[in-house]
Amino acid sequence: MIEEVRAVIEKIRPALQADGGDIELVSVEGNVVKVRLRGACACCPMSQMTLKAFVEKTIKQEVPGVDRVETA
């Protein structure tokens, strides 16, 4: 599952980088993906919305079995 999650993160990374941010995969623990938002995303007031509405939604659509995405 970790390789599938890594591939999805590579697909969404350019969208985050376009706004001055980035994302790092920290771990996959069971059905929970842990990521770290970096750059502008790390301190953005909308970071939780980005995490849930964009990152988590995309990963869950493309990687069966992922229950949630959390910040590490």
Side-chain angles (χ1 to χ4, degrees), residues 31-47:
N31 296 337
V32 179
V33 174
K34 296 197 178 200
V35 298
R36 184 172 293 119
L37 296 175
R38 298 189 166 271
C41 290
C43 58
C44 176
M46 300 298 287
S47 65

Side-chain angles (χ1 to χ4, degrees), residues 7-49:
V8 174
I9 286 176
E10 288 304 315
K11 279 175 48 176
I12 64 175
R13 175 172 273 130
L16 298 173
Q17 290 175 333
D19 287 332
D22 205 351
I23 187 169
E24 171 190 353
L25 175 61
V26 175
S27 66
V28 176
E29 300 172 8
N31 296 337
V32 179
V33 174
K34 296 197 178 200
V35 298
R36 184 172 293 119
L37 296 175
R38 298 189 166 271
C41 290
C43 58
C44 176
M46 300 298 287
S47 65
Q48 283 303 306
M49 182 187 231

Side-chain angles (χ1 to χ4, degrees), residues 46-67:
M46 300 298 287
S47 65
Q48 283 303 306
M49 182 187 231
T50 298
L51 181 71
K52 293 298 178 184
F54 178 56
V55 176
E56 182 178 76
K57 180 180 175 185
T58 305
I59 291 174
K60 286 172 75 174
Q61 284 176 343
E62 297 199 24
V63 183
V66 171
D67 289 334

